[in-house]
Amino acid sequence: MFVVVAAVALIVVLCGFYLSWRATRLDRLYRRVDTSRAALEAALARRGVAVLALADTKGCDPAASRALVDAVEATHRAGGDERELAESALSGLLRKTLGDEECPFLAKTLLAEVADAAKEVHMARTFHNDAVAHTRRARRSPLVRILRLAGRAPLPGFFEIDDEPPRLLSVPVDTDPR
């Protein structure tokens, strides 16, 4: 009889440890999503600052500069799904502006800053969406759903934007950064 009670107690303790581990894993995944979202927001802000600096130069067509400034301001005003659309529109406008001859004489440092910021946005979005995918996969587990290990935490959402960086090699650049 003692062996049966000890075996049941051991099974209960092991199940408790396993459930605690699963809940802790979900918590870590949610923290990873939050951290990656913060990094994505920082990368988008850095890209916005770099685009504003680029639009402020004299080597860019005034109409193209105004369009870039308006696009950056639209990203700040937008929220939710509108934010994704505004960020995608900024990416497209940036590719168009730097791919056309509207900004023929730009400083290499500004172009490098925009290129670095665009790459950072791409990497941050990739990491964020990867973290969201892992969290959603963990939440789909029957054990997690039945025992409600995720609590009332909302299901994290992907951040889908057009983040293809502009092709800066085709743009003639001014070697003098003034």
Side-chain angles (χ1 to χ4, degrees):
M1 182 69 170
F2 176 74
V3 174
V4 173
V5 172
V8 169
L10 181 63
I11 290 173
V12 168
V13 167
L14 290 177
C15 286
F17 278 128
Y18 178 72
L19 292 176
S20 174
W21 174 79
R22 290 295 298 243
T24 303
R25 176 167 160 60
L26 272 172
D27 185 54
R28 281 194 319 266
L29 287 170
Y30 269 99
R31 276 187 273 159
R32 183 175 161 211
V33 167
D34 291 342
T35 302
S36 65
R37 180 62 186 227
L40 176 61
E41 292 293 336
L44 290 169
R46 179 177 174 228
R47 181 179 74 164
V49 168
V51 170
L52 287 176
L54 184 72
D56 195 36
T57 62
K58 295 187 186 333
C60 207
D61 177 48
S65 292
R66 185 72 236 163
L68 286 171
V69 169
D70 290 343
V72 171
E73 289 174 354
T75 64
H76 294 308
R77 287 190 306 266
D81 289 339
E82 294 174 359
R83 171 83 185 275
E84 294 175 358
L85 293 174
E87 292 289 351
S88 292
L90 176 60
S91 295
L93 183 62
L94 197 55
R95 276 193 311 274
K96 178 186 176 298
T97 301
L98 296 179
D100 290 349
E101 297 302 321
E102 296 178 29
C103 296
F105 301 107
L106 296 172
K108 286 183 180 182
T109 55
L110 291 174
L111 289 174
E113 181 68 26
V114 169
D116 289 344
K119 289 175 190 173
E120 187 178 332
V121 166
H122 176 73
M123 288 183 357
R125 186 184 71 83
T126 301
F127 287 129
H128 174 71
N129 285 346
D130 184 52
V132 168
H134 285 286
T135 304
R136 285 176 163 240
R137 191 175 311 119
R139 290 262 321 244
R140 278 196 304 260
S141 166
L143 186 65
V144 170
R145 286 185 293 154
I146 291 169
L147 296 178
R148 298 182 50 86
L149 294 179
R152 297 181 186 265
L155 195 62
F158 295 101
F159 195 82
E160 294 299 334
I161 63 169
D162 170 17
D163 60 358
E164 182 182 338
R167 294 179 184 233
L168 299 175
L169 298 177
S170 63
V171 178
V173 293
D174 182 16
T175 56
D176 186 12
R178 288 186 273 164

